Structures are given as C-alpha cells and as structure tokens.
Amino acid sequence: MAVQVDEQIQVVLAVLKGELSLAEAARRHGVSSATVGNWRDRFVDAGKAGMDRSLPGPDGGQSQTERRLRTECKELKLALAEATVQLRIWQKGSEYIDAVPSPTSRP
C-alpha cells in the first residue's frame, strides 16, 4: 500500500522533530529507511526552494532562477527584434537592387 502525501509529511515532520528515527518511521510505514530519507530530503529541498525568495521590492519577490530567466527572456526578445529589423531592411534593399544599374551594365 502506498503512503499518501499527507502521511509522508507527518512522517517527515516526526523525523525532523526527532520523535522518530528513519528506521522507526520506515518500519511503521512499511518502507525502507532510504525511502523515508528521500521523503525528508525532498521536503527540505522544497522548503529551501520556497525560502529562496528575495525581500519584496522591484523584483516582486522572484527567486534567483526567475530573475535569471526573465533577464534572459528580455535579452532574447531584444535580439529577435534587432534581427527582424535587419531582415526587413535587407528585404527592402533587395526590392531596389534590380532598379540600380550595375557598374558592368551599359545603357
């Protein structure tokens, strides 16, 4: 029988409080000590990710990853806009290339 998420949380909290050892928690819930250790590690990692928020301010409390991705997105949008403008200029120029006599052509 699979242990439900709510039950996993209760087990992890008991382990973190020192109420149960990994081995005791594993025995009571029919899983291995490694499984309970994985639950604990995932719980702690998720908590760290939740705490990885800067103080409220101009960045709106975004995590470092969110800020990095937003900056990268802005840079990519700018690069795309510049490439689009350049392409349009080249396309416009190519429309007039036939109208300009070449140095080798004679009237």
Side-chain angles (χ1 to χ4, degrees):
M1 177 171 96
V3 180
Q4 299 298 317
V5 173
D6 290 340
E7 191 175 351
Q8 290 175 5
I9 292 169
Q10 295 305 315
V11 170
V12 168
L13 290 173
V15 168
L16 290 174
K17 289 180 193 176
E19 296 171 356
L20 292 174
S21 70
L22 285 177
E24 290 172 317
R27 257 192 318 277
R28 287 186 187 183
H29 297 282
V31 297
S32 70
S33 295
T35 297
V36 175
N38 287 336
W39 295 347
R40 179 201 56 211
D41 295 345
R42 288 188 355 236
F43 183 86
V44 170
D45 288 344
K48 285 179 186 175
M51 297 298 290
D52 184 23
R53 301 271 184 209
S54 61
L55 296 174
D59 64 2
Q62 300 168 347
S63 70
Q64 291 175 353
T65 302
E66 287 172 307
R67 286 193 303 274
R68 181 182 53 77
L69 290 173
R70 287 185 188 279
T71 299
E72 184 178 340
C73 185
K74 286 178 187 177
E75 290 170 358
L76 289 170
K77 285 179 179 180
L78 179 60
L80 178 60
E82 290 172 353
T84 301
V85 168
Q86 225 174 12
L87 179 61
R88 287 183 182 160
I89 290 170
W90 290 341
Q91 287 173 334
K92 264 308 185 196
S94 71
E95 291 175 11
Y96 297 104
I97 201 80
D98 293 331
V100 176
S102 70
T104 58
S105 68
R106 295 190 181 143

